[in-house]
Amino acid sequence: MDPETKLKELTAILNEVADLKSAVDLLDWDQQTYMPPGGAANRAYQQATLAKLRHIKFTAPEVGQLLDDLQLWAAELDPDSDEARLIKVTRRDYEKKVKVPSEFMAEFTKTTSNAHLVWQQARQTDDFAKFQPYLEKIVELRREYADFFAPYDHVYDPLLDDFEPGLKTTEVQEIFNALRPQQVELLKAISEKPQVDDSFLHQPFDEFRQEEFGMEVISKYGYDWNRGRQDRAAHPFTTSFGLGDVRITTRFIPDYLGSALFSTLHEAGHAIYEQGIASHLDRTPLAEGTSLAVHESQSRMYENLIGRSYDFWTHFYGRLQELFPSQLMEVDLDTFYKGINKVEPSLIRVEADEATYNLHIMLRLELEIALMEGSLEVADLPEAWKSRMEEYLGLTPPNDADGVLQDVHWSSGYIGYFSTYALGNLISAQLWEKVNEDIPDLADQIRRGEFAELTGWMHEKIHRHGSKFEPQELVERVTDSKIDPAAYMRYLRTKYTEIYEL
Amino acid sequence: MDPETKLKELTAILNEVADLKSAVDLLDWDQQTYMPPGGAANRAYQQATLAKLRHIKFTAPEVGQLLDDLQLWAAELDPDSDEARLIKVTRRDYEKKVKVPSEFMAEFTKTTSNAHLVWQQARQTDDFAKFQPYLEKIVELRREYADFFAPYDHVYDPLLDDFEPGLKTTEVQEIFNALRPQQVELLKAISEKPQVDDSFLHQPFDEFRQEEFGMEVISKYGYDWNRGRQDRAAHPFTTSFGLGDVRITTRFIPDYLGSALFSTLHEAGHAIYEQGIASHLDRTPLAEGTSLAVHESQSRMYENLIGRSYDFWTHFYGRLQELFPSQLMEVDLDTFYKGINKVEPSLIRVEADEATYNLHIMLRLELEIALMEGSLEVADLPEAWKSRMEEYLGLTPPNDADGVLQDVHWSSGYIGYFSTYALGNLISAQLWEKVNEDIPDLADQIRRGEFAELTGWMHEKIHRHGSKFEPQELVERVTDSKIDPAAYMRYLRTKYTEIYEL
């Protein structure tokens, strides 16, 4: 069989793996949007069965054999070609998957499934001790997981690699070590200034008008409704069943404008990324974002760098006032702008503003690394959490429920995930500086509510490549620099110097 | 391995087959309700991949081996036990599936996929000649299909058996030969009487109030919203993803009350059947209705025998008038009742009333059988259609689009399906007589809007068994008679004698 035929054979298998993934994702989307309560028991079975079939199909010896057979041929190709990258990415994913025994995965799934239930109770009753043995078991299993990939430079590397292919723990530590003191210092400067007012955001806002406004904005952003839709879900998320069907979800809070508005812009950023992937990559492992951090750079950019900018609201604020005259007619643009950018240290990560968000992340990353290294015991985690909260944010959690127990991630086995949120922020600012160089009148365009050139640039530089490149590689290709905190700090300083008159 | 362990092993495979079926059904539900246009291409791939995996898993030699191994053991069990029936039904399905080569199925799927597209064009342009070669090919393939099950008494038997397990062509012919002249005669008698008025149904009716009324009624019927939901779809249908999640869909026509109302009651009948299947049968081949005809007996009963009865409207008409005062306040109950039961021969099956519907079916069945026997050529089908329409319904189709080209079934390869609709009507009347014997005050209950005892009786006699019994077997167990047209004719005669003063 010639290599072209073998590649076709490999692709045919990968296509079916993609179909199974899409079906699993649809089972999940439906569960979070429309499924009646009675469907829950069978849904869990359906997801498990399809996930298993997907795993069996992807890790079949036949796939390994085809990858081996194609190795030499691929080495002769343009390394940036779709074919070479498809083989490279598939080999990477394949080798990761086959290194982990299915008995281990079964135990991990069972452990996290129980741990998740216990965590829900522990958080409700503020009882860390109850969750402690489960988290200890998870840390142990995560170490065992890392060992399947030995030798490694750092025990945290294999975990991080699942979300940020190729990125090393030391790289992230360097980035965050440079970033943290600057963020702490900026926050301190802000906290010495008079606070801005955002009380006008906390009033009753008709849900359907909130929805209408969000749809108007993301349509202008370039979200393609022909290849997507928006539904309601308790926890907003974006999902795709192939590049022609990328859906977002939103949660509407009737007496707080900020929630649905910014979460809609955020999810639209994720969705515009997926919709922008080159369509010929569809049904292959390349038809997704390159990493969680790069994905997050897009959602944060459309949510924050654009959606919380003065230029943006210069265009859209009149329309928002028109939709909510009684709530906003007396609030002028400057007040509104300052209100949606209010900085206030809070205990809860998901409520954090742009100036404090990364601090929540860095705290978590440091603790995760310490747990994995064994320099911190799970039993000592609550105290370690509290002392860092004081150091970074100046707050002391009154309990563990609003402290170490607040996030779902660890209970689900996700150790290695958190840093992607902060890295996404950093990348968004790097891309923002670059796109403003390339499109000198971008600010003017935004003040006119025009996003076609901006989104086109993102399609061209980032989206269309799908997951062909590793995150550091892609960021460097586009910005001539690897992930670097300088741009984000420039962005924060400029913004808050003006708002808080630093 | 002991038989119990083997049965567990078999059940585990069947559970996964059921999970795959549920996932395919969800892909289909989503396609018909919420999927954006851009999702269509990938959706077809996803459905094909999962259907293939389901087929492979169910027809694996391992399944055949387990069935063989369990045969002797099962022969010792109570033949009505779940275990014995599970093995029997699985063996039946397994043997049918493995007898059909996958190359044949691939050709059949490709042929019908093309034929369906051509049929759409042919119907639009009223061009039977265009569709003719495709239908010829389908008839040929259906004969080839039947031959996989040779020897048979009649070439149509294997086709019918796919929808009505165990039922023979001669049985259906006998039933319909007894039924047809009585229906033709009744229709003639009705057509000599003055027509009733139903113009009030054709007015603007607010869609959300239509929906509200339908939901109120089917809630009283016993449809469990905790295990289901209702969405909008162009062609109403019922689907389930296991017994805890049985969904219906409805289409609302803003200026005709009859459409959404009766289709909601119809689909609720299907759904109440599925919700009533014993929950321990879930995720097995027994967790579905016993046949299309028995399924249809439930939908037609809740739609027609109940939903178009005077007793029903004695209770509900006030509420309907309250929801639509300007449209219905001047229409009294008698006029409304007669209007929703208006008999008028029409060219189109899906618009047919209770007195004419079966005639549309019998025409189709006779033509199908003649095609399969070879006594009728596809080329002569349009003329054969027209002459029977005149004979049975007194109408002459002005074209083929509203004649032989009106139904989707044949273009999709469904030859053997139509009779189930009429058989469902007959069974519904048999069950209706029986349940009225067992619950003497049922009419009173319905006049009070109470359906708990009725639906409970259906659960007990029909629903809970799932597909344990063949349709004739089940009908006989419940009514002491096989499928028989007498009850349905008694029902029609009583009803229309009163309405049309025959």
Side-chain angles (χ1 to χ4, degrees):
Chain A
M1 217 172 12
D2 59 31
E4 283 80 6
T5 311
K6 288 195 172 174
L7 181 61
K8 263 189 199 157
E9 214 166 280
L10 177 66
T11 305
I13 297 171
L14 297 175
N15 288 163
E16 294 196 344
V17 172
D19 292 336
L20 280 164
K21 179 180 186 304
S22 292
V24 172
D25 289 342
L26 181 66
L27 289 165
D28 185 59
W29 173 85
D30 180 70
Q31 181 172 25
Q32 296 195 55
T33 51
Y34 295 113
M35 189 184 78
N42 270 15
R43 185 53 49 92
Y45 287 125
Q46 292 151 10
Q47 284 161 331
T49 294
L50 267 72
K52 192 180 87 173
L53 290 173
R54 178 187 169 202
H55 182 80
I56 290 171
K57 195 170 257 300
F58 182 62
T59 58
E62 189 188 358
V63 173
Q65 188 61 54
L66 285 164
L67 286 168
D68 285 347
D69 294 351
L70 286 163
Q71 189 79 334
L72 281 177
W73 175 75
E76 303 290 315
L77 298 173
D78 170 4
D80 286 355
S81 67
D82 293 339
E83 292 78 10
R85 289 285 172 167
L86 177 69
I87 291 165
K88 187 177 172 184
V89 167
T90 304
R91 172 171 286 282
R92 179 191 75 202
D93 294 349
Y94 178 81
E95 285 176 353
K96 290 202 88 162
K97 288 279 189 296
V98 295
K99 274 185 179 159
V100 184
S102 53
E103 302 77 44
F104 173 86
M105 281 315 295
E107 191 187 357
F108 186 71
T109 303
K110 201 178 138 199
T111 303
T112 52
S113 168
N114 290 332
H116 180 73
L117 294 175
V118 172
W119 164 76
Q120 286 178 319
Q121 297 160 5
R123 191 173 65 153
Q124 261 174 5
T125 55
D126 185 30
D127 183 0
F128 180 78
K130 189 168 187 173
F131 180 52
Q132 184 182 320
Y134 292 86
L135 185 54
E136 283 167 350
K137 179 75 184 163
I138 286 172
V139 169
E140 188 191 313
L141 287 172
R142 290 306 268 161
R143 279 209 205 101
E144 221 178 292
Y145 178 82
D147 285 341
F148 294 126
F149 303 96
Y152 40 67
D153 298 332
H154 192 286
V155 63
Y156 193 80
D157 281 353
L159 279 52
L160 183 62
D161 193 81
D162 281 352
F163 307 107
E164 298 300 322
L167 198 65
K168 299 294 175 197
T169 307
T170 52
E171 289 178 273
V172 180
Q173 285 174 317
E174 264 172 46
I175 294 165
F176 284 3
N177 286 339
L179 177 66
R180 195 183 49 249
Q182 300 182 65
Q183 288 224 233
V184 171
E185 187 194 6
L186 176 65
L187 182 58
K188 190 157 173 293
I190 292 170
S191 63
E192 284 160 5
K193 294 289 179 174
Q195 188 51 288
V196 301
D197 174 33
D198 72 342
S199 57
F200 53 86
L201 293 173
H202 299 270
Q203 302 180 69
F205 290 89
D206 177 75
E207 178 177 325
F208 295 98
R209 291 183 170 223
Q210 288 193 49
E211 187 178 18
E212 191 180 340
F213 183 76
M215 288 174 72
E216 284 178 20
V217 174
I218 68 176
S219 299
K220 291 206 171 187
Y221 274 179
Y223 179 70
D224 178 359
W225 296 95
N226 196 47
R227 294 186 291 144
R229 50 177 292 119
Q230 180 178 33
D231 298 274
R232 284 160 169 71
H235 301 284
F237 65 101
T238 298
T239 188
S240 87
F241 319 119
L243 304 178
D245 190 354
V246 185
R247 306 187 190 180
I248 62 174
T249 59
T250 303
R251 170 184 54 186
F252 293 93
I253 298 183
D255 51 7
Y256 176 52
L257 182 63
S259 178
L261 171 58
F262 292 109
S263 108
T264 300
L265 306 189
H266 182 96
E267 300 306 329
H270 284 304
I272 288 167
Y273 189 169
E274 301 264 332
Q275 289 186 338
I277 295 172
S279 60
H280 64 272
L281 302 178
D282 208 0
R283 294 178 79 218
T284 77
L286 300 182
E288 51 184 50
T290 215
S291 76
L292 291 190
V294 177
H295 233 303
E296 201 71 9
S297 80
Q298 299 303 291
S299 56
R300 303 263 165 166
M301 185 188 75
Y302 283 102
E303 175 193 356
N304 292 332
L305 284 85
I306 305 171
R308 292 184 202 263
S309 73
Y310 199 87
D311 292 331
F312 175 95
W313 288 106
T314 302
H315 179 78
F316 283 107
Y317 191 55
R319 174 64 182 144
L320 191 68
Q321 287 180 308
E322 202 178 288
L323 284 165
F324 299 110
S326 70
Q327 295 94 329
L328 297 177
M329 217 33 106
E330 304 297 311
V331 180
D332 66 21
L333 173 58
D334 279 27
T335 307
F336 181 82
Y337 171 69
K338 287 179 179 172
I340 60 169
N341 285 293
K342 180 180 174 184
V343 172
E344 188 169 48
S346 80
L347 296 171
I348 307 299
R349 174 183 60 86
V350 296
E351 292 166 8
D353 51 71
E354 286 182 273
T356 57
Y357 192 92
N358 286 350
L359 294 167
H360 289 268
I361 294 305
M362 289 185 271
L363 171 159
R364 284 159 178 75
L365 179 76
E366 289 161 19
L367 297 177
E368 282 188 352
I369 291 176
L371 286 173
M372 289 295 294
E373 285 175 341
S375 58
L376 175 68
E377 295 297 321
V378 172
D380 300 327
L381 193 56
E383 279 316 306
W385 182 286
K386 281 179 189 161
S387 70
R388 272 188 176 71
M389 278 300 284
E390 275 172 41
E391 190 185 340
Y392 300 165
L393 286 153
L395 295 173
T396 313
N399 55 48
D400 291 329
D402 290 334
V404 68
L405 287 172
Q406 71 182 261
D407 297 304
V408 66
H409 300 62
W410 291 340
S411 78
S412 305
Y414 286 120
I415 297 179
Y417 190 112
F418 276 121
S419 66
T420 69
Y421 294 124
L423 295 170
N425 282 331
L426 306 189
I427 298 168
S428 74
Q430 290 175 268
L431 294 175
W432 194 243
E433 289 191 350
K434 186 69 183 170
V435 70
N436 275 281
E437 275 173 48
D438 285 3
I439 309 175
D441 69 331
L442 181 56
D444 291 336
Q445 294 184 17
I446 293 174
R447 281 194 293 271
R448 293 193 302 268
E450 294 167 12
F451 302 91
E453 204 177 344
L454 167 73
T455 296
W457 190 95
M458 293 295 158
H459 281 339
E460 172 65 22
K461 305 285 186 183
I462 305 284
H463 306 166
R464 70 183 173 93
H465 303 301
S467 61
K468 281 176 69 173
F469 306 109
E470 292 187 345
Q472 285 285 37
E473 191 184 5
L474 182 66
V475 172
E476 193 165 16
R477 273 173 181 256
V478 178
T479 70
D480 299 317
S481 156
K482 290 195 171 184
I483 304 172
D484 185 294
Y488 192 65
M489 282 313 303
R490 279 193 288 273
Y491 162 71
L492 288 186
R493 282 199 193 97
T494 307
K495 182 170 194 170
Y496 294 114
T497 297
E498 191 210 334
I499 292 173
Y500 281 95
E501 299 171 20
L502 303 179
Chain B
M1 215 169 20
D2 58 31
E4 283 79 5
T5 311
K6 287 195 173 174
L7 181 62
K8 264 191 198 156
E9 213 168 281
L10 177 66
T11 305
I13 296 172
L14 297 175
N15 288 162
E16 293 196 344
V17 172
D19 293 336
L20 281 164
K21 179 181 187 302
S22 292
V24 172
D25 289 342
L26 180 66
L27 289 165
D28 184 60
W29 173 85
D30 180 69
Q31 181 172 26
Q32 295 194 54
T33 52
Y34 294 114
M35 188 184 78
N42 270 15
R43 186 53 49 92
Y45 287 126
Q46 292 151 9
Q47 285 162 332
T49 294
L50 267 74
K52 192 180 88 174
L53 290 173
R54 177 189 169 200
H55 182 79
I56 289 171
K57 196 170 256 302
F58 182 61
T59 59
E62 189 188 358
V63 174
Q65 188 62 55
L66 285 165
L67 286 168
D68 285 348
D69 294 351
L70 286 164
Q71 189 79 336
L72 281 177
W73 176 74
E76 303 290 314
L77 298 173
D78 170 5
D80 287 353
S81 68
D82 292 340
E83 293 77 11
R85 290 285 172 166
L86 177 69
I87 290 165
K88 187 177 172 185
V89 167
T90 304
R91 172 172 286 283
R92 179 191 76 201
D93 294 350
Y94 178 80
E95 285 177 354
K96 289 202 88 162
K97 287 277 190 296
V98 294
K99 275 186 180 157
V100 184
S102 54
E103 302 77 44
F104 173 85
M105 281 315 295
E107 192 188 355
F108 187 71
T109 303
K110 202 177 135 200
T111 303
T112 52
S113 168
N114 291 331
H116 180 72
L117 295 174
V118 173
W119 165 76
Q120 287 178 319
Q121 298 160 5
R123 190 173 66 153
Q124 261 174 4
T125 56
D126 185 30
D127 183 1
F128 181 77
K130 191 169 186 171
F131 181 52
Q132 184 183 320
Y134 292 86
L135 185 54
E136 282 167 350
K137 179 74 184 164
I138 286 172
V139 169
E140 188 191 312
L141 287 172
R142 290 305 268 162
R143 279 208 207 102
E144 222 179 290
Y145 178 82
D147 285 341
F148 294 127
F149 303 96
Y152 41 68
D153 297 333
H154 191 287
V155 63
Y156 192 80
D157 281 353
L159 279 52
L160 182 62
D161 192 81
D162 282 351
F163 307 106
E164 298 301 321
L167 197 65
K168 299 294 175 198
T169 307
T170 51
E171 289 177 273
V172 180
Q173 284 175 318
E174 262 171 46
I175 294 165
F176 285 3
N177 285 340
L179 177 66
R180 195 183 49 251
Q182 300 182 63
Q183 288 224 233
V184 171
E185 187 195 3
L186 176 65
L187 182 58
K188 191 155 173 293
I190 292 171
S191 64
E192 284 161 4
K193 294 288 179 174
Q195 187 51 288
V196 302
D197 174 32
D198 73 342
S199 57
F200 53 86
L201 293 172
H202 298 271
Q203 302 181 67
F205 289 89
D206 177 76
E207 178 177 324
F208 295 99
R209 291 183 170 222
Q210 288 192 49
E211 188 178 16
E212 192 179 340
F213 183 76
M215 289 174 72
E216 285 177 21
V217 173
I218 68 176
S219 299
K220 292 207 171 185
Y221 273 179
Y223 179 69
D224 178 358
W225 295 95
N226 195 47
R227 294 187 291 143
R229 50 177 291 118
Q230 181 178 34
D231 298 274
R232 284 158 170 73
H235 302 283
F237 65 101
T238 298
T239 188
S240 87
F241 318 120
L243 303 179
D245 190 353
V246 185
R247 305 187 191 179
I248 62 173
T249 59
T250 303
R251 171 184 52 186
F252 293 93
I253 298 184
D255 52 8
Y256 175 53
L257 183 64
S259 178
L261 171 57
F262 291 109
S263 109
T264 300
L265 307 190
H266 181 96
E267 299 306 330
H270 283 303
I272 288 167
Y273 188 169
E274 302 263 331
Q275 289 186 336
I277 295 172
S279 60
H280 65 272
L281 302 178
D282 209 0
R283 294 179 80 219
T284 77
L286 300 182
E288 51 184 50
T290 215
S291 77
L292 291 191
V294 177
H295 235 303
E296 202 71 9
S297 80
Q298 299 303 289
S299 56
R300 302 262 165 167
M301 185 188 75
Y302 283 103
E303 175 194 356
N304 292 332
L305 283 85
I306 304 171
R308 292 184 202 262
S309 73
Y310 199 88
D311 293 332
F312 175 95
W313 289 105
T314 302
H315 178 78
F316 282 108
Y317 190 54
R319 175 63 181 144
L320 191 69
Q321 286 181 308
E322 201 178 289
L323 284 166
F324 299 110
S326 70
Q327 295 94 329
L328 296 178
M329 217 33 106
E330 304 297 311
V331 179
D332 66 23
L333 174 57
D334 279 26
T335 306
F336 180 82
Y337 171 68
K338 287 179 180 172
I340 60 168
N341 284 294
K342 181 181 173 184
V343 172
E344 187 169 48
S346 80
L347 295 170
I348 307 298
R349 174 183 60 86
V350 296
E351 293 166 7
D353 50 71
E354 286 182 274
T356 57
Y357 192 91
N358 286 351
L359 293 168
H360 289 268
I361 294 305
M362 289 185 271
L363 171 160
R364 284 159 177 76
L365 178 76
E366 290 160 19
L367 298 177
E368 283 188 351
I369 290 175
L371 286 172
M372 288 295 293
E373 286 175 341
S375 58
L376 175 69
E377 295 298 321
V378 172
D380 301 327
L381 193 56
E383 279 316 306
W385 182 286
K386 281 179 188 162
S387 70
R388 271 188 177 72
M389 279 299 284
E390 274 172 41
E391 191 185 339
Y392 300 165
L393 286 154
L395 295 173
T396 313
N399 56 47
D400 291 330
D402 290 334
V404 68
L405 287 172
Q406 71 181 261
D407 297 305
V408 67
H409 301 60
W410 291 340
S411 78
S412 303
Y414 286 119
I415 297 179
Y417 189 111
F418 276 120
S419 65
T420 68
Y421 294 124
L423 295 170
N425 282 330
L426 307 189
I427 298 168
S428 73
Q430 290 175 266
L431 294 175
W432 194 243
E433 289 191 349
K434 186 71 185 170
V435 71
N436 275 281
E437 274 173 49
D438 285 4
I439 309 174
D441 69 331
L442 182 55
D444 291 336
Q445 294 185 17
I446 293 175
R447 280 194 293 272
R448 294 194 302 268
E450 296 167 10
F451 302 92
E453 204 178 343
L454 167 72
T455 295
W457 190 94
M458 293 295 158
H459 281 340
E460 172 65 23
K461 304 285 185 182
I462 305 284
H463 305 166
R464 70 183 174 93
H465 303 301
S467 61
K468 281 176 70 173
F469 306 109
E470 291 187 345
Q472 285 285 38
E473 192 184 3
L474 183 65
V475 173
E476 194 165 14
R477 271 172 183 258
V478 179
T479 69
D480 299 317
S481 154
K482 290 196 172 182
I483 304 172
D484 185 294
Y488 192 64
M489 282 313 304
R490 279 192 289 273
Y491 162 70
L492 288 186
R493 281 201 192 96
T494 307
K495 182 169 194 169
Y496 293 114
T497 296
E498 190 211 334
I499 292 173
Y500 281 95
E501 299 171 19
L502 302 180

